[in-house]
Structure formats: structure tokens, C-alpha cells
């Protein structure tokens, strides 16, 4: 199930007291997909040289990389090479950046202590374990007409760490590109592991490096059926409505808050149950986009492919018993 690269929507806002938290969402921000070498995560496109392979989805043992994901099930690994080429991925945004507006962007990254591949210069098995940096580019086309927005410090820590970038949009960019880049010269073999992206959050000042204050979530008083009732798909983007919030421990989450809390309740009461989801929509394209969005958020919330099944809604489904359904009755959930 793959979502379209470009989908229109309104800018999302979440209230924090009297101040709105405005953000531009990112599709599949924790790179959830089946692991694979030279494979792009769902929702992302390749922006590297055509003569080189795409980045890799870990962990799957490829190139001796076995580190567990920081969030969800999988993450992406990108390399820089001794022949001067680097890897990058991008996606279209559902809302263009506002020229002159400052944005905050957080990502989690680590350096793998082992990352072995063939050198493009020596054609020998070589360690791609040197630290690199991450660049964030804005663009108006898939991989071209780009401008550098921000660059991270050198990513040298072998453990997952959060990194924060601030930038001012100079144009109405409606694409972003994430690119691994060299921390020094001449060109060398290095890599970066990348996971758990935040949305692009509007902030008042580019000089203020503190992360934006996120709203708390406290839905513990609501029942499972009440929570499921409030889950909705955006009628324009066909994506499940995302929220950016923090839980009781202060951990940030970028998923649908009602789905996230439903999953926490299910884990507590029925940890061994498998979940069945029936998804409806206007047409096949709409249903596939919604199924993709749901799948990504389930994986991002810690469920694996063996713990759930997603299928299109059937006419007879609404006559059957379900553990919950949303208000629009285009999402039905049953524990098996």
C-alpha cells in the first residue's frame, strides 16, 4: 500500500493553552516498512545519484546493522561514499512552508558501529562507519530546485539521540529532502541511522533553540469505544489525522492521539490479541491511502505486522459485531 507523494490539505493546528501549535505533517516519519537493502520506506522517494542504490530499511541484518529502532519497527540508513556520492530521500508535503516563517524540526539519529558495504573506489568490502551530518533541504520539485535549510552537527553517538534544527523558509517549499553529507573532506565512507522525525513546527523565533512546548495527553478516563469513535481520516489527504503531543512520561508522539491511546488500552487489557481493521473510503485509491496511513501509525506505535490485519470495508461488515467503530463508520476494529 503506497500513498501518493503529493496530497493537499490544510495546515494542522493543536491548541496549547491559548497558543496554537501549527505544524506541517510528514508522512511515515519513522520510516515504517518491511526491512530491505536498497529499499525506500513507504511515502518517501529516492533523490540520490541514479547510478547508485537507494538507502536501506533496517534492522534486517543488512551490512551487519542490527540496532533496534528508536520508534516503531524500522528506520532508514543512509551512506556517504569515498567516490563523492551521498544518499538522500524526500517527500512532498501536504502544505507548503510559509515564506519568512521559522520552523523547528527534530529527528533521532545514531551512528552504527558496524556498516559494511563495497567501496565504490576500491571495490573491496569496507566499513561505512565514519560519522556524517544530516542536511535538510526545501524544494519545489521531487529532487530539484532545492535550497539548503539547515544542517546538523556531526552524528557520532552510537545510541539514538534527538537533534534539533531551526530554519527560516525562504520560499513556499512543498517538498523536503533529507541528505547524508560529509563531516569533513576528502570524501570517505560513512553512514547515519535515522528515525522518529517530528513535523515541521512553526516557532516565533529562529534564534530560540528550545523545542516547542507540546500539549499533554490524558485520555485515561475514556473507554476504548469512546476513543475509537473520535478517530477520523482527513477527507482531503485521506490520511489518518495526526497529532503532536507528549504522554505522561514526557515522551513526544506524532500519531493520531485517539488511536495511540486505544492501542495503549488494548495492550494493557488484551496484550495477546490480534487486531482486525476494516477501512472504508470513497473509492479504491481512497481506501488504499487510508490503509497505508493506518498501517504506518500502528507500526510507529510499536505493533508489528503479525499483530494486526487491515482490509477494505465490506458491505456486510456493518451488520457484524465490532469492538469499536469511528463516527463516520469508515474504520471498524475487532480484537481476535
Amino acid at each position: 500500500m503506497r500513498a501518493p507523494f503529493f496530497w493537499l490539505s490544510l495546515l494542522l493546528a493543536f491548541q496549547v493553552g491559548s497558543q496554537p501549535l501549527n505544524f506541517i505533517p510528514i508522512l511515515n516519519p519513522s520510516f515504517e516498512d518491511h526491512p530491505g537493502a536498497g529499499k525506500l520506506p513507504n511515502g518517501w522517494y529516492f533523490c540520490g545519484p541514479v547510478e547508485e542504490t537507494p538507502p536501506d530499511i533496517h534492522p534486517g541484518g543488512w551490512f551487519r546493522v542490527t540496532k533496534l529502532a528508536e520508534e516503531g519497527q524500522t528506520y532508514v540508513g543512509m551512506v556517504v561514499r569515498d567516490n563523492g556520492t551521498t544518499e538522500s530521500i524526500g517527500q512532498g508535503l501536504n502544505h507548503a512552508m510559509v515564506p519568512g516563517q521559522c520552523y523547528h524540526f527534530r529527528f533521532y539519529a545514531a551512528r552504527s558501529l558496524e556498516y559494511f558495504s563495497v567501496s565504490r573506489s576500491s571495490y573491496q568490502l569496507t566499513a561505512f562507519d565514519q560519522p556524517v551530518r544530516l542536511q535538510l533541504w526545501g524544494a519545489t520539485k521531487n529532487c530539484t530546485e532545492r535550497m539548503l535549510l539547515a544542517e546538523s552537527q556531526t552524528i557520532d553517538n552510537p545510541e539514538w539521540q534527538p537533534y534539533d534544527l531551526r530554519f527560516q523558509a525562504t520560499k513556499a517549499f512543498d517538498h523536503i529532502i533529507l541528505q547524508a553529507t560529509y563531516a569533513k573532506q576528502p570524501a570517505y565512507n560513512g553512514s547515519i541511522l535515522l528515525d522518529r522525525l517530528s513535523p515541521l513546527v512553526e516557532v516565533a523565533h529562529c534564534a530560540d533553540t528550545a523545542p516547542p512546548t507540546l500539549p499533554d495527553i490524558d485520555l485515561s478516563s475514556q473507554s476504548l469505544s469512546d476513543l475509537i469513535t473520535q478517530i477520523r481520516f482527513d477527507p482531503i489527504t485521506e490520511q489518518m489525522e495526526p497529532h503532536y503531543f507528549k504522554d505522561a512520561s514526557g515522551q513526544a508522539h506524532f500519531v493520531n492521539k485517539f488511536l495511540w491511546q486505544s492501542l495503549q488500552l488494548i495492550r494493557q487489557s488484551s496484550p495477546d490479541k490480534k487486531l482486525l481493521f476494516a477501512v472504508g473510503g470513497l473509492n479504491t485509491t481512497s481506501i488504499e491511502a487510508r490503509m497505508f496511513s493506518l498501517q504506518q501509525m500502528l507500526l510507529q506505535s510499536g505493533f508489528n505486522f503479525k499483530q494486526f490485519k487491515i482490509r477494505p470495508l465490506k458491505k456486510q461488515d456493518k451488520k457484524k459485531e465490532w469492538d469499536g467503530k469511528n463516527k463516520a463508520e469508515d474504520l471498524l476494529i475487532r480484537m481476535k
Side-chain angles (χ1 to χ4, degrees), residues 85-105:
T85 62
T86 66
E87 289 186 334
S88 56
I89 57 176
Q91 73 170 242
L93 302 173
N94 76 330
H95 189 281
M97 301 178 200
V98 178
Q101 176 65 53
C102 290
Y103 292 92
H104 179 273
F105 174 62

Side-chain angles (χ1 to χ4, degrees), residues 210-241:
T213 301
L214 302 184
D216 295 303
I217 184 171
D218 183 12
L219 306 174
S220 56
S221 61
Q222 298 190 50
S223 67
L224 178 62
S225 59
D226 288 339
L227 289 165
I228 295 173
T229 299
Q230 301 174 77
I231 299 173
R232 67 182 292 270
F233 293 100
D234 188 296
I236 301 176
T237 67
E238 302 292 1
Q239 304 297 302
M240 185 172 287
E241 182 180 28

Side-chain angles (χ1 to χ4, degrees), residues 233-263:
F233 293 100
D234 188 296
I236 301 176
T237 67
E238 302 292 1
Q239 304 297 302
M240 185 172 287
E241 182 180 28
H243 305 110
Y244 194 31
F245 60 91
K246 61 181 179 180
D247 60 24
S249 67
Q251 181 65 61
H253 300 276
F254 180 31
V255 296
N256 181 279
K257 63 178 181 178
F258 304 113
L259 176 67
W260 182 86
Q261 184 65 11
S262 297
L263 297 175

Side-chain angles (χ1 to χ4, degrees), residues 275-330:
L275 302 179
L276 172 64
F277 296 87
V279 179
L282 295 177
N283 50 47
T284 301
T285 301
S286 167
I287 293 172
E288 287 182 350
R290 292 179 176 198
M291 291 171 66
F292 161 76
S293 176
L294 173 59
Q295 173 185 288
Q296 173 255 307
M297 289 196 179
L298 287 168
L299 294 169
Q300 191 176 333
S301 299
F303 279 65
N304 60 51
F305 284 106
K306 295 181 180 179
Q307 293 176 293
F308 64 85
K309 178 181 178 181
I310 306 173
R311 64 165 173 79
L313 183 69
K314 302 175 183 178
K315 288 184 178 180
Q316 60 268 34
D317 282 335
K318 294 185 179 181
K319 300 178 182 179
K320 298 179 180 179
E321 289 285 330
W322 295 84
D323 293 304
K325 61 180 68 175
N326 65 352
K327 186 176 181 181
E329 295 192 358
D330 52 15

Side-chain angles (χ1 to χ4, degrees), residues 45 147 162 197 200 202 294:
Y45 54 73
M147 181 175 292
L197 309 181
L200 305 178
E202 288 188 7
L294 173 59

